[in-house]
Amino acid sequence: MPDLPTDAGVAEEHREEVIAPGAVLLRGFALPFVDNVLAVLGDITAQAPFRHMTTPWGAAMSVAMTNCGEAGWLTDRTGYRYDRVDPETGQPWPVMPECFRELASRAADRAGYPGFVPDACLINRYAPGTRLNLHQDRDERDYAHPIVSVSLGLSATFQFGGPKRRDAVRSFVVRHGDAVVWGRYVAARLSRRGRAEEREHPLLGNQRINLTFRRAL
């Protein structure tokens, strides 16, 4: 088990909140993993630097992204996809650290999805003013596996809706160390998410890092 976090000032009572059928917000769940995660994050981004990907319609994304694991999520003029090779370096994506894998697996287990072993981790870096608009996660091959989203640094508003645009959207503030897990039920698995940064964090400064773990291959 990782060491306990040193930034006790940002810790809050660990609790679980059901935000939709099959979707759970785990308050503070990632805090015991933070030191180890941040210690290896620099190695990942040194091998596969953050970049602003291009959407299929040619717009540059404001969110900086990279990946680790057996496959990485990509977007460019040819569309959305997973690929084993980083197109910027021509090399495989960095190996997913064990502390990443353990964090995702334990969060999924706590949320009621035992046996989850991610093979892809999308790493997003948000500066103030950047956001990821509501979207659907449906590029993976098997929807039976959950998605685990971990928030580090700045607080943000997490918007969670249903599979249809007319479905109601609920908003939740996610803070440093929170994890959101959803899957299995179509209404949760195909939900759209959004992000919006606010304030400054004492450990990560003027940014927010989001780790999204998936079973992609």
Side-chain angles (χ1 to χ4, degrees):
M1 184 70 180
D3 296 333
L4 291 175
T6 58
D7 56 331
V10 299
E12 69 172 278
E13 180 184 358
H14 294 196
R15 64 180 186 275
E16 302 175 11
E17 301 176 21
V18 176
I19 60 177
V24 181
L25 170 56
L26 304 173
R27 293 290 186 191
F29 185 88
L31 289 175
F33 297 83
V34 166
D35 288 347
N36 289 342
V37 166
L38 295 182
V40 297
L41 182 59
D43 293 335
I44 294 172
T45 57
Q47 297 176 60
F50 282 110
R51 76 287 308 263
H52 295 274
M53 298 185 191
T54 303
T55 65
W57 50 93
M61 299 187 70
S62 62
V63 178
M65 300 178 172
T66 189
N67 295 273
C68 69
E70 295 178 41
W73 184 86
L74 298 172
T75 175
D76 55 25
R77 295 302 294 263
T78 65
Y80 305 119
R81 66 190 183 280
Y82 284 97
D83 200 307
R84 293 180 181 272
V85 175
D86 179 351
E88 289 202 359
T89 66
Q91 300 296 318
W93 296 101
V95 174
M96 187 183 300
E98 182 57 34
C99 61
F100 276 43
R101 200 181 308 275
E102 182 181 7
L103 167 56
S105 296
R106 291 197 180 196
D109 185 69
R110 175 69 64 84
Y113 300 102
F116 175 59
V117 180
D119 59 12
C121 177
L122 173 63
I123 306 169
N124 289 345
R125 184 183 67 194
Y126 298 84
T130 61
R131 61 179 298 164
L132 189 60
N133 291 328
L134 289 170
H135 64 280
Q136 292 181 317
D137 291 292
R138 51 181 181 184
D139 297 315
E140 297 78 39
R141 295 182 179 180
D142 187 351
Y143 288 176
H145 299 289
I147 289 178
V148 177
S149 176
V150 175
S151 183
L152 303 173
L154 294 171
S155 299
T157 299
F158 189 101
Q159 296 177 317
F160 203 94
K164 298 178 181 179
R165 290 188 179 275
R166 66 175 179 269
D167 291 340
V169 175
R170 301 180 64 190
S171 297
F172 305 84
V173 174
V174 288
R175 302 179 179 88
H176 178 69
D178 288 350
V180 183
V181 184
W182 69 98
R184 188 171 303 165
Y185 299 102
V186 174
R189 183 63 181 80
L190 297 184
S191 292
R192 299 174 294 278
R193 308 194 311 282
R195 302 289 190 270
E197 282 71 23
E198 55 188 35
R199 297 189 298 274
E200 185 168 333
H201 188 266
L203 182 62
L204 288 175
N206 210 22
Q207 65 177 339
R208 175 173 178 269
I209 301 294
N210 193 86
L211 311 176
T212 304
F213 297 93
R214 298 177 171 96
R215 187 74 185 180
L217 300 178

